[in-house]
């Protein structure tokens, strides 16, 4: 019974952490919004910057960075899966030879399994 109570306490503690973080962020944002002056970019330079080619270039670089990170992750996962698949194919081949009726095939299979 004590273990169940401890488990419920741990689950409750982990479940309230995100809610507490959201509440803390909301409170800090509310306080900063009341203390700091409004941040308005109404200067013609900034308006032209964020609505023109410079901002498009920045967003293109960000999008390319995200695509590159996704491609690297995908390649890593594919390489890991290919290595695992190759290992299991070799293990299957070795075990099939080790269980063969022919003595030479059995010797080759056992030699490939054992170091």
């Amino acid at each position: 019974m004590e273990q169940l109570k401890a488990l419920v306490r741990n689950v409750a503690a982990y479940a309230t952490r995100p809610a507490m973080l959201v509440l803390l962020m909301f409170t800090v944002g509310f306080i900063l919004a009341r203390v700091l002056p409004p941040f308005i970019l109404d200067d013609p330079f900034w308006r032209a910057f964020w609505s023109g080619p410079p901002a498009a270039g920045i967003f293109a670089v960000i999008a390319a960075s995200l695509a590159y990170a996704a491609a690297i992750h995908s390649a890593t996962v594919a390489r890991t899966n290919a290595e695992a698949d190759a290992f299991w194919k070799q293990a299957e081949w070795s075990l099939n030879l080790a269980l063969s009726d022919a003595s030479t095939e059995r010797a080759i299979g056992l030699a490939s399994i054992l170091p």
Side-chain angles (χ1 to χ4, degrees):
M1 190 65 174
E2 291 299 319
Q3 291 177 340
L4 182 61
K5 287 181 182 178
L7 179 64
V8 169
R9 275 195 305 270
N10 286 342
V11 169
Y14 284 113
T16 58
R17 285 184 184 172
M20 294 299 287
L21 184 62
V22 168
L23 182 63
L24 177 67
M25 290 181 353
F26 178 77
T27 305
V28 168
F30 184 80
I31 291 170
L32 287 177
R34 298 302 179 256
V35 172
L36 297 176
F39 185 70
I40 300 172
L41 292 175
D42 204 26
D43 188 36
F45 169 77
W46 289 113
R47 183 176 301 197
F49 181 84
W50 288 113
S51 64
I58 291 171
F59 293 135
V61 168
I62 291 171
S65 300
L66 290 174
Y68 177 74
I72 291 295
H73 177 71
S74 176
T76 303
V77 169
R79 183 175 49 248
T80 303
N81 289 340
E83 289 172 356
D85 188 45
F87 169 80
W88 286 113
K89 283 183 180 179
Q90 182 180 358
E92 181 183 11
W93 175 80
S94 299
L95 290 174
N96 284 337
L97 285 180
L99 297 175
S100 175
D101 291 334
S103 64
T104 56
E105 289 182 357
R106 193 175 22 228
I108 292 171
L110 289 174
S112 66
I113 293 173
L114 300 175

